[in-house]
Structures are given as C-alpha cells and as structure tokens.
Amino acid sequence: MKFNMQRMLAGLTVLLFCTTSFHVGAQSVEQLEQLRQQASQSNGSSAGATNNVTPLSIQSQRTLPGGSNTSSSVGQYATQPRNGVTLPGEPTISTVFPTQQAMENPPFAANLFIGGFESERSSGLNDNYSIAPGDKISIWIWGAVNYSSVVTVDNQGNIFIPNIGPIQIANTPAGSVNQTVTQKIRQVYTNDVNVYVNLLTSTPVSIYVSGPVLRPGQYAGLASDSVLYYLKRAGGVDFRRGSFRQIDVIRNGNIIATADLYAFFRDGKLPGVSFKDGDTILVRPIGNTIVVGTGARNSFTFEFSQEELNGGVVNYFARPGEFASHASVAGVREGKQFARYLTIEEFEALPLQPGDAVEYVADNEPQIYRINVAGAFAGASQLMVDKGTRLLDILDHIEADTTLSDTQNIFLLRESVAEKQKEIIEQGLQRLERSMYTAPISSTGEGAIRAQEAQLVADFITRARQVEPQGRVVVSENGDIANILLEPNDTIVIPEVTDLIHIGGEVMLPQSVVFNPDATTEDYIAWAGGFTERAEDERILVIRKNGNVAFTQLNEGSLLFSDNNPHLAPGDQIIVLPAIDTKLLQAVKDITQIVYQIAVAANVATN
C-alpha cells in the first residue's frame, strides 16, 4: 500500500510538472517574469514554515456565525457597503448613458447640483425635525419624584414613563418635545417636580428617488432633510430628460408636495416636507423648453409650462443685458420655419412654442461716441461728440498754445486703419510663407540652402507678427487740414513744436540732432555715425511730422524726395532700413515689401 501510494504521488508530480511546463511555454516574456516573482515570494513566505504539514495545520475557510475571519474574502458575502465599487458586469453611468457633448446652454438652475446640500449638511439636530418611531429621548425628573431614563419612541409614536403612562409625541417638532412631555408629567405630579426632556438621536428614514436622475435608488437621510439633499445624493436631475419644475413627493400613492427648483433658485422657496420611510421623490419628464442664447445674463435652456410660453416670462428669467434692444426668435410653426426680429417691448407679448431659440441683440445705433486728444494741448483728453462730427468742428473746442503746439501738422490715429494695416502685413507674411515652403528644389545642395533660408524667414515672420501698427491717418499738408468725418475712439494728435530731427534704423548711433535748414539727409546720417554694414543706402525712409511718408535716394550726387518736397522739417524722422542679402534669400521682393509696410504702419525698422 505504501509503495502504491509513493508511485501515485510520483506520477502526480510528473503530471503537474508537465502541465506547468506546457502552460509556461505558452506565456510571454513578461508573464514568465511575473511567474518567477510569484514563485520567489511564495518561497520567501514559506521559508520559515515547518516541513511537517498535517491536515490539522490547514486553516479552514469557514467560520461560525459571529466568528472572525481574517482570511481572504474571495467567495464570501460582503457585509460592508461597497462605497461605489462596482462588481464585474454591473451597469455604471458610463455604460447606461451614452457619451454626450457638453450642452451649449445648460438648464437654468443646473448649478444647484454642484452645491453642498450633501457634503455640507449640519450634523446637529434640527428644531423643526418631527419625532419619528425609533428616536431616543432622555428624561430627568427630580424633586418629589426622582426618575431618569432613555426611552425609545415605539411604533405607535408613544414613549412610556412609569406612573405616567404612554405619551404621544410622534410628529412633534424636536424643539417642542420638552414642553409636550413636561405638560403630561405635570398632569400627574402637580407640585414639587422638575422635568427636563432632550432628544438624543433622530432615526434616519429611507427615501426612494426615481425618474430622470443619474442614480435612481434608495437613500437614507433625516426626515427633516430637503428634497435637494436626496436629489444631490441621486446625482441630480438628468439635464436632457428630467424636469426642474415638477418634482413630486409621493406617500402611499398620493402626491403630498411638489418642488419647483426655479422657485427655489429665484425666491428661495422649497416645500416643507417631513419625510417618512417609503416616501418617493419622483422627477417628472422635462416639459416645454426655450433656449436663450447670447445677449442675456442668463443664457440657459429654460423649462416653462404652457401658460408661461411668452416673451414676458422669458425676459423675467433670462434678464436681457442693459443695452439689448431687440430679440431674435427662431422656431417652427405648423411644420414651417418661423423667425421674428422684434423690439424688447414687442417680444414681451409674443406667444412662443416649445423649442424656440431666443437671442438678444444690442441694435442701438450709437449717436454719441468718444474722441481722444493727445499731444500738446490744454483741457480734457476725451471728448464726447455727436455722430457725424468732423475734424474741424472738434478742433475749435480744443485749447492749444500756438507757441508750443504744432497745429499745422495734426494727424489722426484710427483703430480701423490699424486693423487694416495689420491685415495687409499678415497677407504679405502669408504669401512669403507660401513662396518659401512651396518653392521647387532641384538638388540636394539647394535643398540644404533652402532649409536654412526657410528658418531665417520663419524668424523674420515671427518678429514681424509682433509689430502693432499705429493706424496713422495723414490729414494735414502744408498747413491745410482735411475736414474728415470722425469715427468712434479716434485719437487727434497735436504734435509739439520741436527743433529736432530723429535718425534711426541701420545707422551707427541712432539719435536726435538739432534741425539745420542747410543740412541734407546725408548730413544727418553722417552725424548719426553713418550707415551700418546692413543698411540700405539707396532708399532712405523719411516720415514727416504730419505722418506722411517719403523716400530719398542718391541720384548722381544729389538727394531726391519721392513727395516732391526737397526739404526736411523739424520733427521729421529719418529711418534707414536694413538691406536684404540677395545671395541667401530667394523671396527678396516679398521681404522688402513687408519691411516697408511695417516701417510705415508702425513707425519702426524691423531688424
């Protein structure tokens, strides 16, 4: 018998080894490493164990009722809450609800469910809490009679005190318990007896939450908790399917209260309900909706009853902006597209239909706008003018000292012109990018050169895009001022009288020098140290004090100006632009044009 047992154990060992080898051979390298780690851990844990293993040394996986078991819980029933941990195959919100994009206009009052109705609940007892069966109450009687005990409210709503009998206190507010019990005791003990009664604990109730909520189910709370507390525990109302206006509390098949979250959001009103075990909070399906888009303080999706479907109610909840003058309504009427554009007053009387979309528009044409004044002047720096005001009309109201203000070279800074200049520069930069990145390559060497050129051009484009144009408008010439129409937020610049000429750009010493009527452009550049190695000495930019732009160039030893004005004047700026190396860059024409545009629009020279 012993021999047969040894042979059987040996055969079993061989079988186990072969089976294990077969499975190991089918594993990946990572799985093999995991098996080795598990084997080493198993060996380490059993190193200190004795080799004499008997059936009595094996711990049983079963325990007697009430006994403790510290072994693995696999295969046993859980006796503690799972705390949100789902079981394999159990439905979750991600599997029940399909993934949806965020609503552009969420429901009105939806932010109630990110409040602290659940997490910030007070742990103290509420004076308005209604006593329910199971609550514990402490009673002290002293004087002629001494008695102290903790009694429990029975299923009939009574507490029992010896020599007094049952006292009905169910549905009594917690703040009135002391008074109610004391009155009953004093009916028996009329003299020399003092009584003190206190509610120790309140019994939780179990409430069902159903309807279009995220996590319908059964939730525990206090009888005095609000409807919002239980809705928050259930995840809140489903925005696309649930109603915020009709949330019923049902008891024994009858509706005992209805909550309107709009009334709570606007007026702080919630139904006062003392919940009981088995009550149901039922969220009804969503009703008629109106979507309010832009132009309102409350741009949400609103839910209205049939009687509330009119523009006046929408105005009350949406609250149009201060400057909103019109309302745009779009929807469907009798299967056809419907659209109206009405004033706010006309919109109030308009009947609406479910699904209508409303937008508020500030369609007030400005009749008065602001004009800024800068430079050498006296008085206010901002003026309010009527629509249609022209430049000469406003100059009569600006105080200036003729000895300090150069009123002959006034110019404007206009936002619309600055935007147009920015757009023109951006178009030129985009053309330059296309020409560089789409140019054909005929050889490997040319490709390397083009790659270097592309990097240089990219650096130039990055710097060029950072330049902000001034939006300068030339309105004066030889003392004459154009009486142009002013636009909102225009800036009238009155230059100061100056005796300087400013030289900048590609010169050795950019500076300002005193104006000399006998000096030429070449003289001023020489006083600024002369040209740098990167200077474009054949075309020199001159920005006149009035904002006009001219170019000078050397022609057979003499200086010629492109604006037919052969003289410089105090306040003019001489800007020497950088030269473009034609040996390295192929898009010389585009870059040169952009450099000139930036220099004129922003009054700077791009390095």
Side-chain angles (χ1 to χ4, degrees):
M1 181 66 181
K2 181 177 180 181
F3 175 77
N4 293 336
M5 180 62 70
Q6 290 178 347
R7 291 183 59 186
M8 183 172 63
L9 288 175
L12 180 59
T13 303
V14 173
L15 177 61
L16 288 174
F17 176 79
C18 295
T19 306
T20 305
S21 301
F22 173 78
H23 285 292
V24 169
Q27 306 298 320
S28 62
V29 177
E30 291 81 3
Q31 292 171 330
L32 287 173
E33 184 63 26
Q34 292 179 359
L35 290 175
R36 292 192 189 97
Q37 293 177 359
Q38 293 175 0
S40 62
Q41 292 175 358
S42 177
N43 293 334
S45 62
S46 59
T50 179
N51 293 328
N52 297 326
V53 179
T54 65
L56 296 179
S57 65
I58 300 177
Q59 295 183 356
S60 173
Q61 296 295 322
R62 290 191 255 174
T63 59
L64 295 176
S68 61
N69 182 15
T70 58
S71 61
S72 174
S73 60
V74 177
Q76 300 180 5
Y77 290 104
T79 59
Q80 300 296 326
R82 288 186 284 144
N83 297 324
V85 178
T86 58
L87 297 175
E90 184 178 3
T92 61
I93 291 182
S94 60
T95 58
V96 173
F97 290 98
T99 303
Q100 297 176 346
Q101 294 182 350
M103 296 181 66
E104 210 172 294
N105 297 90
F108 180 68
N111 56 338
L112 287 174
F113 297 110
I114 61 176
F117 297 104
E118 179 183 13
S119 59
E120 302 296 332
R121 192 183 73 174
S122 173
S123 59
L125 296 178
N126 184 2
D127 287 342
N128 296 321
Y129 169 74
S130 296
I131 303 300
D135 290 346
K136 296 185 180 299
I137 300 174
S138 64
I139 301 174
W140 288 273
I141 303 175
W142 69 96
V145 176
N146 292 324
Y147 173 81
S148 65
S149 179
V150 175
V151 297
T152 303
V153 181
D154 60 24
N155 291 334
Q156 300 179 21
N158 300 323
I159 60 173
F160 187 84
I161 302 176
N163 301 325
I164 303 297
I167 301 176
Q168 178 71 28
I169 63 170
N171 297 324
T172 301
S176 303
V177 171
N178 191 13
Q179 180 182 359
T180 302
V181 176
T182 300
Q183 288 177 353
K184 282 289 188 180
I185 294 175
R186 291 191 183 279
Q187 291 178 3
V188 178
Y189 301 106
T190 57
N191 296 318
D192 299 331
V193 172
N194 298 309
V195 180
Y196 180 76
V197 180
N198 183 42
L199 175 64
L200 292 180
T201 60
S202 54
T203 303
V205 294
S206 181
I207 303 299
Y208 296 96
V209 183
S210 184
V213 293
L214 295 184
R215 296 189 300 271
Q218 184 179 10
Y219 296 93
L222 298 181
S224 58
D225 283 329
S226 68
V227 173
L228 281 170
Y229 169 77
Y230 292 102
L231 288 176
K232 177 68 184 298
R233 294 203 63 187
V237 177
D238 187 337
F239 290 173
R240 299 183 184 274
R241 301 182 298 121
S243 172
F244 279 68
R245 305 297 305 274
Q246 190 175 2
I247 302 171
D248 295 332
V249 180
I250 301 175
R251 180 177 297 165
N252 298 326
N254 299 319
I255 298 175
I256 62 172
T258 298
D260 182 355
L261 298 187
Y262 282 19
F264 174 73
F265 196 85
R266 291 301 301 261
D267 305 319
K269 296 180 180 178
L270 271 181
V273 180
S274 180
F275 287 98
K276 293 185 178 180
D277 271 327
D279 286 352
T280 299
I281 298 175
L282 178 61
V283 178
R284 301 291 182 177
I286 192 170
N288 305 319
T289 58
I290 300 292
V291 179
V292 177
T294 58
R297 292 183 179 88
N298 296 326
S299 296
F300 297 106
T301 298
F302 293 91
E303 179 185 354
F304 296 125
S305 63
Q306 194 65 36
E307 296 77 16
E308 295 174 330
L309 287 177
N310 59 76
V313 176
V314 174
N315 287 342
Y316 173 76
F317 282 96
R319 299 187 63 195
E322 290 90 347
F323 301 104
S325 60
H326 291 73
S328 172
V329 185
V332 177
R333 300 290 188 277
E334 298 179 355
K336 298 180 180 179
Q337 293 291 329
F338 173 84
R340 291 290 186 275
Y341 189 72
L342 309 168
T343 64
I344 296 294
E345 293 74 16
E346 295 171 341
F347 174 68
E348 287 188 356
L350 179 69
L352 300 176
Q353 291 293 326
D356 284 351
V358 179
E359 292 185 0
Y360 292 96
V361 182
D363 202 2
N364 297 312
E365 185 177 3
Q367 300 298 324
I368 299 177
Y369 44 78
R370 181 181 62 188
I371 297 297
N372 305 308
V373 183
F377 70 99
S381 61
Q382 294 183 355
L383 300 173
M384 303 303 295
V385 301
D386 296 330
K387 183 180 181 180
T389 301
R390 294 185 176 272
L391 178 59
L392 294 182
D393 300 332
I394 198 67
L395 288 179
D396 296 336
H397 300 280
I398 299 176
E399 183 180 352
D401 187 351
T402 56
T403 60
L404 299 176
S405 305
D406 189 355
T407 57
Q408 304 300 313
N409 289 300
I410 293 174
F411 61 90
L412 292 180
L413 298 180
R414 179 166 290 179
E415 293 180 350
S416 60
V417 174
E419 293 175 0
K420 189 64 178 178
Q421 291 174 339
K422 186 77 171 178
E423 180 182 345
I424 292 173
I425 293 174
E426 179 61 28
Q427 290 175 355
L429 294 175
Q430 291 177 1
R431 288 195 301 269
L432 178 59
E433 286 180 323
R434 289 194 297 268
S435 64
M436 288 302 301
Y437 294 125
T438 59
I441 300 174
S442 58
S443 65
T444 305
E446 183 181 357
I449 296 175
R450 288 292 177 86
Q452 296 178 356
E453 294 176 356
Q455 182 61 45
L456 295 175
V457 172
D459 295 340
F460 168 78
I461 291 174
T462 300
R463 293 195 301 270
R465 283 194 169 123
Q466 297 174 355
V467 175
E468 294 296 333
Q470 293 181 335
R472 181 177 297 195
V473 180
V474 179
V475 296
S476 59
E477 183 73 24
N478 298 325
D480 297 329
I481 298 177
N483 193 21
I484 68 171
L485 194 66
L486 296 176
E487 293 184 2
N489 215 29
D490 274 353
T491 299
I492 302 173
V493 181
I494 303 176
E496 295 181 353
V497 173
T498 182
D499 296 322
L500 302 178
I501 292 288
H502 310 283
I503 308 102
E506 294 295 333
V507 292
M508 298 297 294
L509 300 172
Q511 61 179 323
S512 299
V513 298
V514 178
F515 170 72
N516 187 337
D518 297 328
T520 64
T521 304
E522 190 175 13
D523 295 329
Y524 287 110
I525 293 175
W527 292 337
F531 297 113
T532 64
E533 295 180 355
R534 300 177 61 250
E536 174 60 67
D537 55 1
E538 294 184 0
R539 287 178 61 83
I540 302 171
L541 181 66
V542 177
I543 300 179
R544 303 289 187 182
K545 193 174 183 180
N546 62 354
N548 205 351
V549 178
F551 287 94
T552 64
Q553 59 183 0
L554 289 172
N555 187 5
E556 296 180 357
S558 62
L559 287 171
L560 299 178
F561 287 83
S562 60
D563 60 352
N564 298 321
N565 185 0
H567 303 290
L568 293 173
D572 288 349
Q573 299 182 58
I574 301 173
I575 298 179
V576 180
L577 300 176
I580 307 301
D581 193 347
T582 58
K583 296 180 181 179
L584 294 178
L585 301 179
Q586 301 296 324
V588 177
K589 181 178 179 181
D590 291 339
I591 293 180
T592 305
Q593 181 182 5
I594 293 172
V595 168
Y596 289 158
Q597 289 174 351
I598 292 175
V600 173
N603 199 12
V604 296
T606 303
N607 293 326

